[in-house]
Amino acid sequence: MDNAVAPMSPQPLVPAPTGLSARLATVPLKPLFMLAAGAIALAAVALALSWGGGASQGSYKVLFSGLSDKDGGSVIAQLSQMNIPYRHSEGGGAILVPADKVLDVRMRLSNLGLPRNSVVGYELLDNQKFGQTQAGEGMSMKRATEGELMRTIGSLAAVQQVRVHLALPAQNGFFREQQKPSASVMLNLHPGRSLDRAQLSGIVHLVSSSVPELSPKAVSVVDGSGTLLTAPDGNASQGLDAQQLQYVQQVESQLQKRVIELLEPVVGRENLRATVTAELDFSESVSVSEEFKPNQGANVTAAVKQQQTMESSQPGSPTPSGVPGAQSNQPPVPATAPVTGAAQTLQGAQGGAGNGNLRRESTTNYEVDRTQRTTRNATGTLRRLSAAVVVNHRVNTDARGKTTSTPLSAEDLEKLNSLVQQGIGFNKDRGDSIRVINTPFRTEPSPKAEEVPAWKQPWLQDLLRTAAMPAALAFIGLLIVLMVIRPALRQLNAPPPAPAPGSRLNAVVDDETALPGPGSALALEAPKANEKLETARALARQNPAGVANIVRTLMNGEQATA
């Protein structure tokens, strides 16, 4: 069959693009715009993701500033335990935490007593301004003294936080009576800690010794609940102090422990309830007595306390006087003084030779035996005891596992009562009372703790809140990649369309063959219809049985008969 080649219409030759700019010029604008928009959106998502997890934490704000190294280390250690991120400001003068957690962290740290020593002491005087008034200097000195006292008292193991207020009146030499200074101290103690009387007295004397002319009676100490720990006159308050209350609790707990240890082996561990109340007398009394006794015994030498002798004489006229006779001419008898110290006037016999007067006085005082006794009663004496004991019914279990409770007999209760009396030291004259009763205990099923679903757990909610924003940003970035950037890249990487006939340049080769030019292009003739195929189709329509027979014969490998 002859195929005629028809000449083709001439096509202009287009040179292939070279360079990036020329290649981009051939790309459509739509994929380029989609690619640029997707890249910008993806960069914005990545920037937001790098800032926070950024939205969950937000910007950082100052938590505390001006802390000492000790307080700063304590705060940072606690923040690390609480899993809270923190930063330091430039120069390390402040601690920064996320803005949405500042108030929460401050409250939690304040509950833990942090920061402890963020007070200013004598370093406040290092930055005195030139030209400061006398009142300003006095106020600075007062603040510095208060700060130093707060630091010193705050170093005690039981003290969690302390405030000191000083009232220092202005001293003026023109007033005769100057007002005395006073001080107030407020203490917040650690949970479970207490201060005894000696420690309170030490704090009072520490404050009074740090301020000139401050009397210990002018120092008031209160606790965190506003209870006055020291009386206005400086003595202990009339009520029980912390140490006395602790002593009462120790006495009661020891007696209660004795009762439980005695009765538990008899009635069982869960079948007994006991309580003991002790009344103690903490009043302190002092009695002083003196006894005077005379000097006793002939061989006892009395101690002379004071002795005084006085003698006086006065001459007179020699007029005879007296009773005539031999008795008046005798010399006078020596005078004697009694032991009792009574003074007597001794006068000699007047002779007839003159009228003179002679006067002698002697006084002797002796020490008297003296005995002085001082009796001081002990504090914390036991005044009265009261005990209450409740015993459960006796529980019996039979062979079938059925439990029955029966009350205790009067004899058993009397035995238990005797055990309690002996255990706590019962004294009827003191007014002690003990009561033991028997009653069935009411048992209630313990409430079951409700299980919190996993999605309601605080740690899971915090995790979801923290990871919600980063997950959302990551999802948005994934959508941008899949719906914008990926289609744009597919369009850019699509194969170029087939070149039109004659659109390529001639290849330069080392042979004499050349491609036909535009004028010599040949066009191929379209193929004609197959006549044999059409004849077979017509034969099949006219004689389908014969055609089927021919096909069967060909398939069986036989030659078709004409």
Side-chain angles (χ1 to χ4, degrees):
M1 181 179 61
D2 296 336
N3 294 330
V5 179
M8 299 178 60
S9 61
Q11 296 290 339
L13 298 177
V14 180
T18 59
L20 180 60
S21 59
R23 184 176 180 182
L24 292 177
T26 59
V27 178
L29 294 178
K30 183 178 179 180
L32 289 179
F33 178 76
M34 291 177 60
L35 183 61
I40 294 175
L42 190 62
V45 170
L47 183 61
L49 190 61
S50 64
W51 277 359
S56 61
Q57 296 178 359
S59 58
Y60 280 72
K61 290 188 178 180
V62 177
L63 178 64
F64 295 113
S65 60
L67 297 178
S68 61
D69 295 340
K70 182 178 180 181
D71 286 344
S74 301
V75 171
I76 290 176
Q78 193 63 36
L79 290 177
S80 300
Q81 294 181 2
M82 298 164 59
N83 294 327
I84 295 177
Y86 62 88
R87 296 178 182 175
H88 296 283
S89 63
E90 295 182 1
I95 299 177
L96 309 178
V97 296
D100 57 344
K101 297 182 179 180
V102 171
L103 298 179
D104 184 28
V105 173
R106 283 181 181 174
M107 292 180 182
R108 295 170 66 180
L109 292 179
S110 177
N111 188 29
L112 298 174
L114 295 176
R116 295 185 177 89
N117 299 322
S118 57
V119 294
V120 181
Y122 286 136
E123 62 269 15
L124 182 65
L125 305 178
D126 297 337
N127 300 322
Q128 293 292 327
K129 297 181 181 179
F130 179 76
Q132 191 175 10
T133 61
Q134 185 178 1
E137 291 179 356
M139 182 59 66
S140 300
M141 188 64 187
K142 175 186 173 183
R143 290 181 56 193
T145 306
E146 291 177 348
E148 292 297 329
L149 287 174
M150 291 168 62
R151 288 178 177 176
T152 305
I153 300 175
S155 62
L156 298 178
V159 177
Q160 182 178 14
Q161 191 176 7
V162 61
R163 293 293 303 274
V164 177
H165 301 279
L166 299 178
L168 305 178
Q171 301 296 332
N172 194 338
F174 295 98
F175 294 99
R176 292 181 179 179
E177 296 182 359
Q178 300 290 343
Q179 188 177 1
K180 299 299 182 180
S182 60
S184 301
V185 181
M186 180 177 179
L187 300 175
N188 287 328
L189 305 180
H190 289 284
R193 300 291 185 87
S194 62
L195 295 176
D196 55 12
R197 188 177 302 175
Q199 291 174 326
L200 290 175
S201 179
I203 293 175
V204 170
H205 284 80
L206 172 66
V207 176
S208 62
S209 302
S210 302
V211 180
E213 298 184 2
L214 177 59
S215 174
K217 298 181 180 180
V219 180
S220 301
V221 181
V222 298
D223 58 4
S225 61
T227 304
L228 184 63
L229 303 180
T230 56
D233 57 352
N235 297 325
S237 59
Q238 298 298 328
L240 300 182
D241 57 10
Q243 187 178 10
Q244 293 173 351
L245 289 175
Q246 185 178 4
Y247 178 70
V248 172
Q249 293 176 358
Q250 289 179 357
V251 172
E252 293 177 348
S253 62
Q254 289 178 359
L255 295 176
Q256 182 179 355
K257 185 178 179 181
R258 291 180 184 177
V259 174
I260 294 176
E261 289 179 351
L262 282 174
L263 300 186
E264 270 189 355
V266 180
V267 298
R269 183 173 184 180
E270 298 298 332
N271 298 323
L272 173 67
R273 297 294 183 271
T275 179
V276 179
T277 303
E279 296 181 8
L280 301 179
D281 185 10
F282 292 96
S283 61
E284 183 178 358
S285 61
V286 179
S287 61
V288 179
S289 62
E290 291 184 356
E291 296 181 358
F292 297 92
K293 295 181 179 179
N295 296 321
Q296 298 178 358
N299 298 327
V300 177
T301 304
V304 178
K305 180 179 181 181
Q306 184 180 6
Q307 185 176 8
Q308 182 179 1
T309 303
M310 184 176 62
E311 181 179 351
S312 64
S313 62
Q314 182 177 3
S317 60
T319 303
S321 60
V323 179
Q327 186 176 2
S328 61
N329 295 327
Q330 298 294 327
V333 180
T336 59
V339 179
T340 56
Q344 294 182 357
T345 302
L346 303 179
Q347 184 175 1
Q350 297 180 358
N355 196 18
N357 294 327
L358 179 62
R359 182 183 179 86
R360 294 177 181 177
E361 293 182 359
S362 177
T363 303
T364 304
N365 296 328
Y366 296 92
E367 288 287 355
V368 181
D369 292 342
R370 176 186 177 189
T371 303
Q372 182 177 0
R373 292 186 179 90
T374 301
T375 305
R376 186 185 302 271
N377 295 332
T379 59
T381 57
L382 185 59
R383 181 184 300 174
R384 186 172 180 270
L385 281 178
S386 300
V389 181
V390 181
V391 182
N392 189 16
H393 283 183
R394 183 179 289 109
V395 179
N396 299 321
T397 305
D398 56 9
R400 298 181 180 179
K402 184 178 180 180
T403 59
T404 58
S405 60
T406 57
L408 299 178
S409 61
E411 183 180 358
D412 294 337
L413 289 178
E414 185 64 25
K415 292 180 179 179
L416 296 179
N417 195 0
S418 301
L419 286 176
V420 175
Q421 291 180 2
Q422 296 297 327
I424 66 174
F426 178 79
N427 188 355
K428 185 178 181 180
D429 298 335
R430 194 171 51 194
D432 297 348
S433 63
I434 296 176
R435 185 67 181 273
V436 179
I437 64 174
N438 178 226
T439 184
F441 285 4
R442 182 179 179 181
T443 58
E444 296 181 356
S446 59
K448 296 182 179 179
E450 297 181 359
E451 296 183 359
V452 181
W455 59 275
K456 286 187 178 181
Q457 294 291 340
W459 63 270
L460 183 59
Q461 293 182 357
D462 294 341
L463 180 62
L464 292 178
R465 281 194 296 265
T466 304
M469 186 59 65
L473 293 176
F475 181 72
I476 293 174
L478 183 61
L479 291 180
I480 292 173
V481 171
L482 295 179
M483 301 181 65
V484 179
I485 297 179
R486 186 177 179 183
L489 292 177
R490 285 183 177 179
Q491 294 182 14
L492 291 177
N493 295 330
S503 62
R504 295 185 179 180
L505 298 176
N506 292 334
V508 180
V509 295
D510 296 335
D511 56 4
E512 297 179 357
T513 305
L515 294 176
S520 60
L522 300 177
L524 298 177
E525 182 181 0
K528 297 181 179 180
N530 194 344
E531 296 179 357
K532 295 182 178 180
L533 182 60
E534 293 295 335
T535 303
R537 289 177 179 175
L539 180 60
R541 285 193 295 268
Q542 293 176 2
N543 189 6
V547 174
N549 188 18
I550 294 173
V551 173
R552 185 182 301 109
T553 304
L554 292 176
M555 293 180 63
N556 293 333
E558 299 177 357
Q559 295 183 358
T561 58

